Amino acid sequence: VDGGALDTSDVREARVRSAYMDWCKEYGNEVDESRFGTFETNFLAMEDYANDNGREMVLNKYADCTEEEYRALTEEKAPVAEAPKEEPAAPAPPKEEPAAPTVAEMQAEAKKEEPAAPA
């Protein structure tokens, strides 16, 4: 021990890797190294957000998705509706719950909630 700064990157990677393996098991996914980097980025961003906002971090089935993958999986494709011929249009179906916020949306929300620096 030389009294220098501790390198916590190995500890952090081991912690995130363990969380990834637990997440894979929980959601029935195979451990896939090509997905780990995205999971790690999302996990650390969610962890920061949770810590900064005093909230519990909860991972969902999209934790290894890029923002583009997440949007493609969660945004409904609008069906092409045909105009009714003689019958009145049926009432619109109830709206579904909105999808969970993306990491970028949560970070933007957290920044809006930060108090302004004193002048």
Side-chain angles (χ1 to χ4, degrees):
V1 177
D2 64 3
L6 294 175
D7 179 10
T8 59
S9 61
D10 289 342
V11 173
R12 181 181 63 210
E13 182 174 346
R15 181 174 53 81
V16 175
R17 194 166 288 281
S18 175
Y20 177 62
M21 292 170 68
D22 291 344
W23 176 84
C24 286
K25 187 182 294 184
E26 181 177 345
Y27 287 97
N29 296 327
E30 293 291 322
V31 174
D32 180 350
E33 284 302 310
S34 69
R35 307 291 304 165
F36 177 72
T38 302
F39 176 89
E40 181 178 33
T41 299
N42 291 342
F43 180 91
L44 294 172
M46 287 293 298
E47 186 176 62
D48 286 346
Y49 176 82
N51 290 336
D52 291 348
N53 293 284
R55 297 189 179 179
E56 179 183 356
M57 183 170 80
V58 179
L59 298 175
N60 61 23
K61 65 184 179 179
Y62 304 110
D64 72 337
C65 291
T66 63
E67 184 138 0
E68 294 78 21
E69 291 168 334
Y70 172 79
R71 290 193 184 284
L73 290 168
T74 59
E75 290 179 353
E76 289 187 69
K77 307 292 187 250
V80 177
E82 293 182 20
K85 297 190 178 176
E86 293 180 19
E87 298 178 38
K95 291 192 173 206
E96 291 186 23
E97 291 288 319
T102 65
V103 171
E105 290 167 341
M106 287 187 290
Q107 289 171 334
E109 183 66 28
K111 285 182 181 177
K112 285 195 286 188
E113 294 175 3
E114 290 177 3

Short mmCIF file of all heavy atoms in Angstrom, two decimals, residues 12 20 75 87 113:
data_model
loop_
_atom_site.label_atom_id
_atom_site.label_comp_id
_atom_site.label_asym_id
_atom_site.label_seq_id
_atom_site.Cartn_x
_atom_site.Cartn_y
_atom_site.Cartn_z
N ARG A 12 -15.92 -1.67 -9.46
CA ARG A 12 -17.16 -1.25 -10.11
C ARG A 12 -17.56 -2.24 -11.19
O ARG A 12 -18.72 -2.64 -11.28
CB ARG A 12 -17.02 0.15 -10.70
CG ARG A 12 -18.32 0.62 -11.36
CD ARG A 12 -18.23 1.98 -11.97
NE ARG A 12 -17.24 1.96 -13.04
CZ ARG A 12 -16.50 3.00 -13.39
NH1 ARG A 12 -16.63 4.14 -12.78
NH2 ARG A 12 -15.64 2.90 -14.37
N TYR A 20 -25.47 -7.62 -13.79
CA TYR A 20 -25.86 -8.07 -15.13
C TYR A 20 -26.23 -9.54 -15.12
O TYR A 20 -27.25 -9.95 -15.69
CB TYR A 20 -24.73 -7.79 -16.13
CG TYR A 20 -25.02 -8.28 -17.53
CD1 TYR A 20 -26.09 -7.76 -18.26
CD2 TYR A 20 -24.22 -9.24 -18.13
CE1 TYR A 20 -26.35 -8.19 -19.56
CE2 TYR A 20 -24.48 -9.68 -19.42
CZ TYR A 20 -25.55 -9.15 -20.13
OH TYR A 20 -25.82 -9.59 -21.41
N GLU A 75 -42.49 1.84 -28.73
CA GLU A 75 -43.40 2.74 -29.44
C GLU A 75 -44.29 1.93 -30.37
O GLU A 75 -43.82 1.12 -31.14
CB GLU A 75 -42.61 3.77 -30.26
CG GLU A 75 -41.90 4.78 -29.39
CD GLU A 75 -41.10 5.79 -30.18
OE1 GLU A 75 -40.99 5.66 -31.42
OE2 GLU A 75 -40.59 6.72 -29.55
N GLU A 87 -71.29 2.85 -40.83
CA GLU A 87 -71.41 2.75 -39.38
C GLU A 87 -70.59 3.87 -38.72
O GLU A 87 -69.55 4.26 -39.23
CB GLU A 87 -70.87 1.40 -38.91
CG GLU A 87 -71.67 0.23 -39.46
CD GLU A 87 -71.08 -1.08 -39.01
OE1 GLU A 87 -70.64 -1.17 -37.86
OE2 GLU A 87 -71.05 -2.01 -39.82
N GLU A 113 -34.73 19.71 -12.20
CA GLU A 113 -35.07 19.82 -10.79
C GLU A 113 -33.93 20.37 -9.94
O GLU A 113 -34.13 20.69 -8.78
CB GLU A 113 -35.49 18.45 -10.25
CG GLU A 113 -36.77 17.94 -10.86
CD GLU A 113 -37.10 16.53 -10.43
OE1 GLU A 113 -36.36 15.96 -9.59
OE2 GLU A 113 -38.10 16.00 -10.92
#
